[in-house]
Amino acid sequence: MADHLMATYNRLPVQFTKGEGIWLWDSEHRQYLDAISGIAVCGLGHAHPAVTQALCEQAATLVHTSNLYGITLQADLADRLCEISGMQRAFFCNSGAEANEAAIKIARLYGHGKDIACPAIIVMEQSFHGRTLATLTATGNRRIQAGFEPLVRGFIRVPYNDLDAIRTVASNNSDTVAVLVEPVQGEGGINVPDAGYLECIREICDANGWLMMLDEIQTGIGRTGQWFAWQHGSARPDVITLAKALGNGVPIGACLAHGAAAEVLQPGKHGTTFGGNPLACRAALAVLENITQEGLVVRAAELGQRMRSGFSAALGGQPGVTDIRGHGLMLGIELDRPCGELVGKALQCGLLINVTAERVVRLLPPLITTDKQADMIVAQVSDLIRDFLTG
Ligand SMILES: Cc1ncc(COP(=O)(O)O)c(C=O)c1O
């Protein structure tokens, strides 16, 4: 059926034709509960009426003009994002990888501004930042890099959640200009760092004149129970990258910046044809408005707590379950063995889940999930895991 598609994905044998809220329907009219939200994208669920209406109106009015001209909706979206994030300027693009490319370019320009000829960015083991050449180099996973050498220069890798490793780089590498880090590692296995990690990175960055750059592509837009995960603490970053949930499925990415980082990109230094077009910005504005109106940021925190407690009660003593962790609605259940086959088993039961880092069941349910649906996910996933471990 897909003879003319490049073989980039091992797709599951299902095609969805319709969605509503947390539910999807396949071409045979079977119903599925979506506990992965298109990988942290559809925070408002599928076919959210307000987003649908905004898209229809905008599609009937103006879809695209390019960045040769002013775009009022883009300026409005920048205002709103800066208001909720504590940042000062926004650059809009079309994906997470592109948002990180913008951040990497900002760090390099910032370094060159300090007469550093070969600026270096500290990145983490097990991180994921995208599939472009620079972002796959920044990514801490050899399998994603293999075959694409030569990789991009200018990255220094350290273990996640290891502040001494960052301090060691500070002592030994005067070309360092920035740290790029996920507040919670998503693809890497829902790895939650120790409390105070980001605050200490902030201190190290301040002491060395580095930019602190947070990849909030998976954690942002309410998923962890704050608009942005850094807001659980006090360490405001210099750069935040966003994508995924910002458009609830309409492709849009953003690189937000504060202070000196907000001033480095000047005309001619960066750009994109589609980035921040009226359609995408209208969708993102509708997303932010509805998350606000429906109180979904607080709700994500409550639901995450409810689901983690549920999993602890159901699986806490289960041999083979090595950890239950998460932050808001980013949930991970780590097993003592590879468990990729659970994804297919869940699909057969009408449930969409994901396994990352080989042995971590990852759940990223929509922020609109009800208590009852949350409890259903916990019960079903716990049963699947128990059967898998004992069967
Ligand atoms: C933390 C993080 N950064 C970057 C990306 C890349 O985003 P995209 O696939 O939109 O390029 C992802 C995607 O999973 C991600 O989770």
Side-chain angles (χ1 to χ4, degrees):
M1 183 201 76
D3 286 351
H4 295 286
L5 289 175
M6 288 199 194
T8 19
Y9 303 102
N10 278 323
R11 296 173 199 266
L12 290 158
V14 64
Q15 301 195 53
F16 299 112
T17 51
K18 189 178 122 144
E20 192 182 315
I22 198 173
W23 302 104
L24 285 167
W25 285 265
D26 71 10
S27 43
E28 319 277 273
H29 311 293
R30 274 195 75 201
Q31 188 175 351
Y32 299 79
L33 192 157
D34 184 359
I36 195 73
S37 307
I39 325 184
V41 168
C42 302
L44 286 171
H46 301 282
H48 189 282
V51 180
T52 305
Q53 191 190 342
L55 278 172
C56 290
E57 281 175 15
Q58 195 58 43
T61 309
L62 184 65
V63 171
H64 177 83
T65 54
S66 92
N67 287 297
L68 293 175
Y69 313 102
I71 302 172
T72 306
L73 287 164
Q74 193 183 109
D76 291 348
L77 180 59
D79 288 351
R80 182 69 183 124
L81 280 173
C82 287
E83 189 186 342
I84 59 176
S85 68
M87 299 287 106
Q88 291 170 325
R89 287 188 192 273
F91 170 81
F92 291 104
C93 50
N94 314 286
S95 68
E98 272 182 86
N100 283 333
E101 286 279 343
I104 291 163
K105 285 180 74 174
I106 286 174
R108 285 192 168 190
L109 272 180
Y110 172 79
H112 283 281
K114 299 204 302 180
D115 282 334
I116 297 172
C118 293
I121 301 170
I122 297 178
V123 290
M124 307 298 153
E125 289 173 7
Q126 281 118 41
S127 62
F128 185 79
H129 298 296
R131 299 285 195 152
T132 62
L133 274 175
T135 58
L136 74 81
T137 305
T139 290
N141 181 339
R142 266 307 291 160
R143 275 193 308 190
I144 284 171
Q145 298 171 339
F148 299 107
E149 297 81 2
L151 300 181
V152 175
R153 291 168 61 201
F155 292 96
I156 301 170
R157 193 166 311 285
V158 300
Y160 191 59
N161 201 21
D162 184 341
L163 292 162
D164 282 339
I166 300 178
R167 291 188 188 106
T168 303
V169 177
S171 315
N172 295 318
N173 192 322
S174 57
D175 284 346
T176 309
V177 294
V179 178
L180 173 63
V181 59
E182 293 158 88
V184 175
Q185 289 186 327
E187 305 300 305
I190 311 290
N191 303 320
V192 185
D194 296 339
Y197 179 59
L198 295 183
E199 283 68 22
C200 289
I201 291 182
R202 180 71 270 175
E203 276 173 30
I204 300 170
C205 286
D206 287 344
N208 292 281
W210 299 346
L211 299 180
M212 175 178 175
M213 310 202 297
L214 293 187
D215 179 337
E216 293 244 21
I217 287 162
Q218 199 159 140
T219 53
I221 316 295
R223 177 140 300 271
T224 68
Q226 287 283 354
W227 275 115
F228 303 97
W230 77 265
Q231 292 167 331
H232 290 282
S234 57
R236 180 171 59 197
D238 301 294
V239 174
I240 296 174
T241 55
L242 297 177
K244 287 200 182 278
L246 181 55
N248 209 58
V250 175
I252 179 168
C255 178
L256 311 180
H258 182 269
E263 306 305 326
V264 289
L265 286 179
Q266 294 298 323
K269 289 295 183 196
H270 198 45
T272 153
T273 300
F274 293 130
N277 81 12
L279 187 74
C281 290
R282 181 76 187 269
L285 281 163
V287 168
L288 298 179
E289 192 183 321
N290 278 276
I291 291 179
T292 308
Q293 271 174 6
E294 294 174 33
L296 295 179
V297 175
V298 174
R299 181 77 187 134
E302 286 167 6
L303 268 173
Q305 194 53 52
R306 181 184 186 97
M307 292 181 73
R308 264 210 315 289
S309 308
F311 280 122
S312 297
L315 294 172
Q318 175 69 47
V321 174
T322 56
D323 197 16
I324 297 165
R325 57 178 178 255
H327 205 358
L329 283 179
M330 284 179 87
L331 296 155
I333 301 154
E334 182 161 352
L335 307 189
D336 64 357
R337 65 201 76 169
C339 58
E341 66 192 79
L342 275 172
V343 174
K345 288 182 190 292
L347 188 74
Q348 281 168 13
C349 305
L351 177 67
L352 306 188
I353 63 167
N354 175 251
V355 167
T356 191
E358 278 191 350
R359 52 189 68 194
V360 182
V361 176
R362 175 172 57 160
L363 301 173
L364 301 161
L367 278 53
I368 49 135
T369 305
T370 62
D371 284 352
K372 201 171 150 207
Q373 289 162 345
D375 295 347
M376 262 169 72
I377 298 171
V378 171
Q380 262 190 296
V381 171
S382 301
D383 284 351
L384 280 164
I385 290 177
R386 238 182 270 109
D387 288 352
F388 171 74
L389 289 170
T390 55

